[in-house]
Each structure stands twice: as structure tokens, then as C-alpha cells.
């Protein structure tokens, strides 16, 4: 019988412990309480010899997890509160823990997997996507910057694929998730119940191998030439200019997409991504992202972006400042300063 909390259901069956994110109406968006519940489960099962594999999945038909509860972040930012900073401290620590977990951590990345959903899945040791998967770090569209170790993952994608995905916020399907290093295996969504049963009695690798298939081709491999050429430019402005100049329709579409995002978030994202590439460990990157996230919390664009996309849903954000040239290098300095509440401190 499941235990845990109403929003995080826990059960053990055979050799496996199952974590089910259980807010299906919100596509299982993460709250602080949910993060703490997952962490407690990992602690208990790490020291339980009967549990040899941990599985995380999402309730409902829509996806594993759409990210953090951004309505709560919106309200906290408007009020000038500290709840979001406290949430991120525990969430990022959980992301690091998942990456270092000593037992197989199997993530069913079915359906929508975005933002914080990537954080609780793509750092795992066994990452399973399906034909329904839509994996993304869409933060620039709400005036935010990819976090939860997103810049670590995307910064290590082949060529400039990660830069493209981080700036545009575009989602990828199964084949492209494998290409970008966000997943390891493709299993048909209809096979997930059978895979879950096999995980209760077999080693994780053996269980997954019984259900793995080769996905249809994605789109990113064919787009590598213009993606790599355009996104290696030094600035966001230069990236946009190159995209428009390629003559490739998909590149022009990407440029148009970028011009609709928060100019401040785009420049902060590019700077964060390139700094993260110079770092060695996930913990170092999470420390960096924590600084950036706390700074973003105080910008007008985060509140405005969430308002436009989630609260009022008019899809008409008014960014401050409204254009890329108006965001200066001096404006970006504060994104990398220690936050008032102190650094995360994952890396010594």
C-alpha cells in the first residue's frame, strides 16, 4: 500500500522502491514539500538492503513533471519573500543527490518533462524516454534561467545543441533527448507497466534492455550544421543575426523565437551556460545556478513572464528592458554575485 504524502506516493514491490509524483492536474509540478518527501524516501531506501532499485514516475497521463510550482514562485517574488530561495536550496541538493545515488535510479521520462522535472530525472543513472516524451528547459520564456543542473546537462550536449535548447526553450522527443545526453533508453509508453514489473525482480539494466527500442530519427542531427555555426557566436545579438542570415527556415524560426523571450534571461542564460562548461562537477554548476536563480527572483521579468504564461495566460509579456542591446554586461554582473542568504555551498 502506498505511503508518503498525498503529493508523493511511495511503495516498495519486490526489489524496487517506487516514487510517484502525484499532482496530475498540475502535471506533477514540484513543491517544496514534494522535494523533501522524495529526499526522505531516497534516504530510507539507500540504507534498506531489500531495495536495490529506485524508480520515479508521474501520476496521470500528461507527464512525469512540468517543473517547479511557478505560481508559488511568482507569488513569492511579488512579495519579496524567501520561500523560493529555500525551495531551491533543497531542490538543488536533491538534484545532486540523485546524480550520486549509490543504487540504480530509474526515471520514467514519459510525456512532459520540463524544468524541475528534468532535475529529478535526467541526473539519474537510468533515464527512460518514450515516444510521448517532451523534454525541455523552457525557462527563458518566463524570464528565468535553466536551473536544476540544466546548464550542466545542456553545456555538455554535442556542439551547440545545448545552447540552442537552453536559449529557445525548445522541447525534444526521444531520439533528440538521447542525442543531447538527456536520456539513455527509449521504451514504448505502453511497455512502462511491464518494465516496472520487471524492475521489481531483475537488475535495472537487464530489465530495461528487455523493453528498449530504437526511436525514429529526430530533427537535431540534421540541424547540427546551422546550430553549431550560429550558436557559437559570442553574444545573443550575434546569434540572432547569424540565425536570420542562414537562409534556413528552421534557423529563422529559432531567431524569431529568441526575440520573443526575455532579453535579460537570454543573456544571463548564455553567460551561465558558458561558465558552467568551464566547471568540472554538477555540484559546482548547481552552486553557480543557485546564485543566478536567486538574482533572477528579484528581476521584473520573472514575475512578468509567469504572469503572462501561467497566471493571466495572455502570452504577451512586457520585458524590462525590452530589447537585447539594452541589457548590458553590467546588468549581468549581479547574476553571479552571492545571494543575500548565502551560497548553496555544495562544492567545497
Amino acid at each position: 500500500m502506498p505511503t508518503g504524502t498525498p503529493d508523493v506516493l511511495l511503495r516498495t514491490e519486490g526489489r524496487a522502491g517506487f516514487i510517484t509524483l502525484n499532482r496530475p492536474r498540475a502535471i506533477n509540478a514540484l513543491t517544496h514539500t514534494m522535494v523533501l518527501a522524495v529526499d526522505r524516501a531516497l534516504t530510507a531506501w539507500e540504507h534498506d538492503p531489500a531495495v536495490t532499485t529506485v524508480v520515479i514516475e508521474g501520476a496521470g497521463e500528461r507527464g512525469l513533471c512540468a517543473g517547479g510550482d511557478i505560481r508559488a514562485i511568482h507569488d513569492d517574488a511579488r512579495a519579496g519573500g524567501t520561500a523560493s530561495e529555500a525551495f531551491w536550496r533543497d531542490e538543488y541538493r536533491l538534484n545532486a543527490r540523485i546524480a550520486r545515488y549509490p543504487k540504480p535510479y530509474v526515471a520514467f521520462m514519459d510525456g512532459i518533462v520540463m524544468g524541475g522535472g528534468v532535475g529529478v530525472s535526467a541526473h539519474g543513472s537510468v533515464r527512460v524516454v518514450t515516444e510521448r516524451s517532451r523534454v525541455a528547459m523552457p525557462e527563458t520564456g518566463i524570464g528565468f534561467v535553466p536551473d536544476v543542473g540544466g546548464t550542466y546537462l545542456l553545456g555538455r550536449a554535442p556542439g551547440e545543441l545545448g545552447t540552442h535548447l537552453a536559449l529557445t526553450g525548445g522541447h525534444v522527443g526521444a531520439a533528440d533527448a538521447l542525442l543531447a545526453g538527456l536520456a539513455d533508453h527509449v521504451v514504448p509508453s505502453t511497455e512502462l507497466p511491464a518494465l516496472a514489473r520487471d524492475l521489481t525482480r531483475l537488475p535495472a539494466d537487464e530489465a530495461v534492455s528487455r523493453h528498449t527500442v530504437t526511436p525514429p530519427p529526430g530533427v537535431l542531427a540534421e540541424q547540427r550544421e546551422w546550430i553549431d555555426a550560429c550558436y557559437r557566436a559570442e553574444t545573443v545579438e550575434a546569434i540572432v543575426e547569424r540565425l536570420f542570415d542562414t537562409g534556413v527556415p528552421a534557423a529563422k524560426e529559432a531567431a524569431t523565437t529568441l526575440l520573443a523571450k526575455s532579453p535579460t534571461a537570454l543573456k544571463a542564460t548564455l553567460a551561465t551556460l558558458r561558465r558552467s562548461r568551464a566547471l568540472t562537477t554538477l555540484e559546482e554548476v548547481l552552486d553557480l545556478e543557485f546564485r543566478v536563480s536567486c538574482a533572477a527572483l528579484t528581476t521584473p521579468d520573472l514575475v512578468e513572464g509567469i504572469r503572462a504564461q501561467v497566471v493571466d495566460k495572455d502570452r504577451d509579456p512586457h520585458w524590462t528592458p525590452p530589447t537585447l542591446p539594452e541589457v548590458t554586461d553590467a546588468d549581468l554582473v549581479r547574476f553571479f554575485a552571492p545571494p543575500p542568504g548565502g551560497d548553496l555551498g555544495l562544492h567545497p
Side-chain angles (χ1 to χ4, degrees), residues 50-169:
V51 175
T52 60
T53 299
V54 172
V55 182
I56 189 165
E57 59 188 0
E61 297 297 320
R62 299 171 70 189
L64 170 65
C65 176
D69 187 342
I70 59 175
R71 280 182 175 266
I73 293 172
H74 170 271
D75 294 345
D76 184 51
R78 285 191 64 184
T82 59
S84 298
E85 180 179 332
F87 166 60
W88 289 326
R89 282 187 185 276
D90 288 325
E91 183 185 26
Y92 298 178
R93 290 181 183 280
L94 175 63
N95 302 147
R97 181 175 199 178
I98 288 168
R100 309 297 182 213
Y101 202 64
K103 299 179 179 182
Y105 180 98
V106 183
F108 286 3
M109 300 171 69
D110 186 41
I112 292 173
V113 185
M114 297 185 179
V118 173
V120 296
S121 60
H123 297 301
S125 54
V126 184
R127 306 168 300 174
V128 176
V129 288
T130 76
E131 79 285 352
R132 294 176 1 101
S133 295
R134 297 294 179 267
V135 186
M137 296 299 294
E139 286 79 4
T140 56
I142 59 167
F144 196 48
V145 176
D147 65 335
V148 298
T151 64
Y152 179 86
L153 295 165
L154 295 177
R156 284 150 182 79
E160 296 294 337
L161 292 182
T163 310
H164 172 61
L165 295 176
L167 293 180
T168 64

Side-chain angles (χ1 to χ4, degrees), residues 1-347:
M1 182 173 180
T3 58
T5 71
D7 292 342
V8 177
L9 304 180
L10 308 173
R11 76 182 195 279
T12 57
E13 184 178 346
R15 60 190 289 155
F18 291 84
I19 300 169
T20 303
L21 306 180
N22 190 41
R23 296 183 68 208
R25 293 183 62 183
I27 320 181
N28 305 312
L30 293 171
T31 65
H32 198 167
T33 299
M34 292 169 71
V35 165
L36 295 175
V38 172
D39 188 67
R40 287 193 298 269
L42 293 183
T43 296
W45 290 338
E46 181 176 347
H47 303 290
D48 184 348
V51 175
T52 60
T53 299
V54 172
V55 182
I56 189 165
E57 59 188 0
E61 297 297 320
R62 299 171 70 189
L64 170 65
C65 176
D69 187 342
I70 59 175
R71 280 182 175 266
I73 293 172
H74 170 271
D75 294 345
D76 184 51
R78 285 191 64 184
T82 59
S84 298
E85 180 179 332
F87 166 60
W88 289 326
R89 282 187 185 276
D90 288 325
E91 183 185 26
Y92 298 178
R93 290 181 183 280
L94 175 63
N95 302 147
R97 181 175 199 178
I98 288 168
R100 309 297 182 213
Y101 202 64
K103 299 179 179 182
Y105 180 98
V106 183
F108 286 3
M109 300 171 69
D110 186 41
I112 292 173
V113 185
M114 297 185 179
V118 173
V120 296
S121 60
H123 297 301
S125 54
V126 184
R127 306 168 300 174
V128 176
V129 288
T130 76
E131 79 285 352
R132 294 176 1 101
S133 295
R134 297 294 179 267
V135 186
M137 296 299 294
E139 286 79 4
T140 56
I142 59 167
F144 196 48
V145 176
D147 65 335
V148 298
T151 64
Y152 179 86
L153 295 165
L154 295 177
R156 284 150 182 79
E160 296 294 337
L161 292 182
T163 310
H164 172 61
L165 295 176
L167 293 180
T168 64
H171 62 74
V172 295
D176 288 333
L178 265 62
L179 176 61
L182 300 172
D184 308 300
H185 309 279
V186 181
V187 172
S189 58
T190 55
E191 288 287 303
L192 290 180
L195 172 55
R197 289 193 296 271
D198 283 347
L199 287 166
T200 68
R201 62 186 185 87
L202 297 172
D205 288 346
E206 181 179 346
V208 172
S209 68
R210 293 184 171 210
H211 302 276
T212 299
V213 298
T214 300
V219 299
L220 291 181
E222 294 181 355
Q223 298 176 343
R224 275 288 303 276
E225 184 176 356
W226 64 261
I227 286 175
D228 289 353
C230 294
Y231 285 94
R232 69 168 62 103
E234 290 297 317
T235 66
V236 179
E237 290 96 326
I239 290 172
V240 171
E241 182 177 359
R242 289 188 185 187
L243 289 169
F244 275 126
D245 288 345
T246 59
V248 178
K252 292 183 177 181
E253 182 180 343
T256 301
T257 296
L258 291 180
L259 292 178
K261 307 296 184 184
S262 159
T264 300
L266 287 174
K267 288 199 171 184
T269 294
L270 184 63
T272 304
L273 190 66
R274 289 183 170 168
R275 289 189 182 211
S276 75
R277 282 176 171 170
L279 301 175
T280 304
T281 67
L282 172 62
E283 287 80 2
E284 290 175 285
V285 175
L286 287 166
D287 282 347
L288 173 68
E289 290 179 349
F290 183 72
R291 289 187 172 192
V292 175
S293 297
C294 290
L297 190 67
T298 66
T299 65
D301 278 4
L302 180 59
V303 170
E304 173 62 9
I306 298 175
R307 178 208 64 76
Q309 299 297 332
V310 178
V311 179
D312 297 336
K313 298 182 180 179
D314 59 23
R315 307 293 191 267
D316 184 28
H318 296 274
W319 305 121
T320 305
T323 67
L324 288 165
E326 293 175 273
V327 183
T328 67
D329 290 343
D331 294 328
L332 298 178
V333 170
R334 68 190 192 92
F335 281 90
F336 303 102
D343 278 323
L344 182 61
L346 276 175
H347 185 77

